[in-house]
Amino acid sequence: MVEVGTWTPENDALDDTPLIQQYLQFRSEFMGYLYAMTRDAELSEEVYQNAAVVVMEQSQKAETIQNFRAWAKEVVRRQALHAIRARAVAAKQARAISPELLDAVSDAFLQDDSEDTVVRDEARALKRCLDDLPEDKRELVAMRYESGSSFDEISEHVGSTPAAVQRALSRVRKMLHGCVQRRMRLAEGAS
Amino acid sequence: MSDVADDQIDIEELVVGHFDGTLSEALEEELAAELAASDSAKQLFLSYMRMEGRLHSLGRDSFLREPTTEAQETVPQPADSTPAVQVPRHSWRSRVWTASTSLAVCAAVMLTWTLWPSSVSASSVLERAQQAAAEMVDRTYRLVMSDSKADDGPASRQLRITVRGGGRFVVQPDHGAYVMGSDGADYWMARRNGPVFVTDDFRSLAPELQRRIPNRGLVDGILASPNEPLLLDISGLLLLIERRYDIELVASSDPREHHVRATRRSDFRSGPSIINFQADAESGVLLKAEVNFRNSRQRTWELIETPTLPDQWYHHTEHAPNRPVERLDAAK
């Protein structure tokens, strides 16, 4: 349960960073969750921004949120479920993600209390790992995440098959994840 | 390889398969069971999930094709087909003081400071800057929005903003994902492909744009300053200083410019805490401004050129021709 306290000048003085700015600082974390829930980058962005409206509306109210991260996670989760239901009705996706998995992902997201320092270190490590990627793999990542291209579109561009592109991207993801973990361990060892 | 390691690989296959969208219903349920039963599986999933979010964020900001090291990125100047004339004075960036000349410069500054006409005050500099900003002259600034403590490490976003008196401006981010501006009557915004959104009420534009343009970094800037047009308009910035800030004249190292520091008055709780700006001593034109927020965010403007542009340049048809126009009603 997220605590919503009564506004007092003293409370406000503790952290007068506008809620929306606090929300933006969690962008990557929330987008990761939304993509895990929807596997649709455009829909994830839309849900993220719908949740931003809720945050903006909250900032107009004379209430102080004691634990913004937890409160915002709940807002994002509800918006995600709403969007997933709407998408199912519109039958945009051939098969919905299993409800058990959606629940498990949401539980993991809500319970995740990773420290800010870990999250920041991971982000920095990822940037370095991306820099270390060979040009062709980096281009593959850019086509997928920057241009939002489908496996079909990428395969046409690189002269391959969609299945081969999907496998190649899976390998790059694993490579990046492994690189991030190694850098994190090295940093831990150095400190 | 041990069973534990094998399990880890299996779970990783499931996690990666989920993000690829290649899991069958049975495998999804298997992944769900793993997440519910195993803390290490949950942590693995979460770390992949965070990575996925970062990749989408980096992609959104067009940072994936270029090296993304933490050093501030240089600004690739967009091709500019408009005729431009030189900034009518020295270039800010070209002023590199060498050790050999610094003593002489310091002496000159001291002399200038001593002989500074008593009529120059922070108020007079601000007033002249406001008059210059109101002129119907086109000026292009580089705007850098940075956050040294962003979630993903130091981040920086760069825009070109061309302004003219009468509230006209055009914002062109380096990544080119959108263009927005005002022709003095209407605010407008268009993504690379898609309709042009137009409204005459910027303050109500933010939530409307946010709902209707679910994409790209625009929303960051809009939502970060919903009460002003992104604090982009130089006149708006100077008006904000006039209304809410205590100002003082600061000794400038360059006698050709005046430096004003503005500190937000204690009766105003929102907005940047400190604003510094430099104005040309002769013309009053704002040359550079630095806006510091209480957190780690900062915005800087730097005058880069003074082009000569037709009136029509500030209209959306110049930047998003042949697009459908969708007028947004002001939120009540």
Side-chain angles (χ1 to χ4, degrees):
Chain A
M1 181 73 181
V2 176
E3 296 175 46
V4 178
T6 306
W7 181 88
T8 67
E10 292 74 22
N11 282 343
D12 191 49
L14 292 176
D15 183 1
D16 66 354
T17 307
L19 294 185
I20 195 64
Q21 286 175 24
Q22 295 183 49
Y23 178 74
L24 292 170
Q25 287 172 0
F26 292 112
R27 179 187 160 80
S28 292
E29 181 182 353
F30 293 171
M31 279 299 291
Y33 166 70
L34 290 169
Y35 190 77
M37 293 288 280
T38 64
R39 283 199 305 251
D40 180 332
E42 284 288 315
L43 183 60
S44 298
E45 190 77 43
E46 191 173 329
V47 174
Y48 175 77
Q49 295 184 21
N50 285 341
V53 174
V54 177
V55 175
M56 287 180 72
E57 288 168 353
Q58 178 66 33
S59 64
Q60 308 297 319
K61 298 176 185 172
E63 295 172 333
T64 298
I65 296 167
Q66 304 291 354
N67 184 341
F68 177 78
R69 187 183 181 193
W71 177 82
K73 277 185 174 184
E74 184 58 28
V75 170
V76 168
R77 187 185 71 87
R78 289 184 187 190
Q79 292 289 331
L81 293 177
H82 175 75
I84 289 166
R85 279 196 294 271
R87 183 175 62 177
V89 170
K92 280 185 178 175
Q93 199 182 37
R95 184 179 69 75
I97 299 171
S98 84
E100 290 81 5
L101 183 53
L102 290 182
D103 285 346
V105 170
S106 288
D107 286 346
F109 172 64
L110 294 176
Q111 291 163 15
D112 179 23
D113 55 359
S114 303
E115 290 179 14
D116 285 354
T117 50
V118 171
V119 174
R120 285 178 199 281
D121 288 348
E122 276 184 348
R124 291 193 180 100
L126 177 62
K127 287 181 178 179
R128 294 200 173 95
C129 292
L130 280 165
D131 287 346
D132 291 343
L133 271 187
E135 183 66 30
D136 58 334
K137 292 187 171 57
R138 194 184 177 97
E139 181 62 20
L140 203 59
V141 172
M143 279 191 280
R144 180 66 175 165
Y145 291 95
E146 192 169 303
S147 309
S149 303
S150 65
F151 295 144
D152 286 356
E153 289 165 337
I154 297 172
S155 67
E156 283 175 21
H157 187 79
V158 299
S160 181
T161 65
V165 168
Q166 179 256 309
R167 284 195 299 273
L169 270 167
S170 289
R171 284 196 295 273
V172 173
R173 272 204 197 95
K174 284 182 201 164
M175 192 187 293
L176 284 173
H177 186 265
C179 171
V180 168
Q181 299 308 309
R182 277 194 302 280
R183 283 186 176 276
M184 296 287 285
R185 281 196 295 273
L186 277 174
E188 271 177 26
S191 61
Chain B
M1 191 177 285
S2 70
D3 290 346
V4 174
D6 285 345
D7 286 350
Q8 176 81 9
I9 290 170
D10 287 345
I11 294 166
E12 188 167 16
E13 292 295 335
L14 290 175
V15 171
V16 172
H18 171 65
F19 286 106
D20 279 344
T22 55
L23 295 187
S24 65
E25 199 164 349
L27 288 174
E28 283 186 351
E29 285 172 13
E30 191 177 325
L31 176 59
E34 291 288 352
L35 292 178
S38 161
D39 191 55
S40 62
K42 198 181 291 180
Q43 293 307 321
L44 183 70
F45 185 89
L46 286 170
S47 64
Y48 262 100
M49 194 173 88
R50 288 192 291 266
M51 187 177 83
E52 199 69 15
R54 286 185 196 108
L55 288 171
H56 281 288
S57 291
L58 289 168
R60 179 203 65 160
D61 293 336
S62 307
F63 283 156
L64 285 174
R65 281 194 168 83
E66 299 298 326
T68 55
T69 46
E70 289 173 23
Q72 297 291 308
E73 309 208 353
T74 55
V75 195
Q77 290 301 311
D80 188 1
S81 58
T82 54
V85 297
Q86 290 285 353
V87 175
R89 62 186 310 284
H90 55 281
S91 159
W92 177 267
R93 287 195 300 170
S94 66
R95 271 183 270 121
V96 180
W97 300 105
T98 62
S100 61
T101 57
S102 58
L103 278 177
V105 170
C106 287
V109 169
M110 291 299 290
L111 184 63
T112 306
W113 179 254
T114 308
L115 300 177
W116 204 334
S118 58
S119 60
V120 176
S121 65
S123 299
S124 67
V125 173
L126 176 61
E127 190 177 341
R128 289 198 64 202
Q130 288 178 303
Q131 288 168 356
E135 291 168 359
M136 300 302 276
V137 173
D138 306 303
R139 298 188 180 100
T140 300
Y141 291 84
R142 174 180 301 118
L143 170 60
V144 180
M145 298 189 285
S146 56
D147 186 346
S148 60
K149 294 180 182 172
D151 181 31
D152 293 346
S156 172
R157 186 166 298 152
Q158 311 201 25
L159 314 168
R160 268 168 81 95
I161 172 165
T162 303
V163 296
R164 183 194 281 189
R168 293 168 184 82
F169 70 88
V170 172
V171 176
Q172 297 164 299
D174 284 354
H175 54 62
Y178 66 88
V179 56
M180 72 177 295
S182 174
D183 58 9
D186 283 330
Y187 295 100
W188 53 266
M189 185 274 181
R191 282 197 286 167
R192 198 178 277 133
N193 300 302
V196 183
F197 297 96
V198 181
T199 180
D200 59 2
D201 184 353
F202 186 86
R203 291 179 186 215
S204 57
L205 180 66
E208 284 300 313
L209 271 184
Q210 188 282 129
R211 283 191 179 95
R212 291 161 187 262
I213 306 177
N215 209 318
R216 300 296 174 186
L218 171 70
V219 71
D220 301 6
I222 289 178
L223 295 182
S225 57
N227 295 322
E228 303 90 15
L230 301 169
L231 274 182
L232 291 173
D233 176 1
I234 300 297
S235 296
L237 180 69
L238 296 171
L239 186 62
L240 184 75
I241 293 173
E242 180 191 332
R243 290 180 175 171
R244 298 188 176 188
Y245 287 71
D246 292 324
I247 55 175
E248 60 180 319
L249 203 56
V250 177
S252 172
S253 58
D254 188 334
R256 293 170 295 183
E257 63 190 37
H258 295 317
H259 178 181
V260 170
R261 178 183 295 132
T263 307
R264 194 183 68 217
R265 294 205 298 270
S266 57
D267 47 337
F268 292 104
R269 301 181 68 88
S270 63
S273 49
I274 301 282
I275 300 174
N276 280 282
F277 73 86
Q278 279 93 359
D280 187 283
E282 193 176 320
S283 66
V285 173
L286 187 139
L287 302 171
K288 186 174 184 181
E290 185 179 287
V291 174
N292 295 294
F293 294 83
R294 270 195 61 177
N295 49 26
S296 54
R297 290 187 309 121
Q298 187 187 63
R299 290 182 194 176
T300 60
W301 287 255
E302 183 186 335
L303 181 63
I304 52 175
E305 64 181 3
T306 305
T308 303
L309 301 166
D311 291 347
Q312 185 66 11
W313 198 79
Y314 292 89
H315 196 261
H316 60 78
T317 49
E318 192 75 14
H319 302 273
N322 306 317
R323 306 268 192 92
V325 174
E326 190 173 329
R327 183 162 274 279
L328 302 177
D329 292 327
K332 303 299 179 192

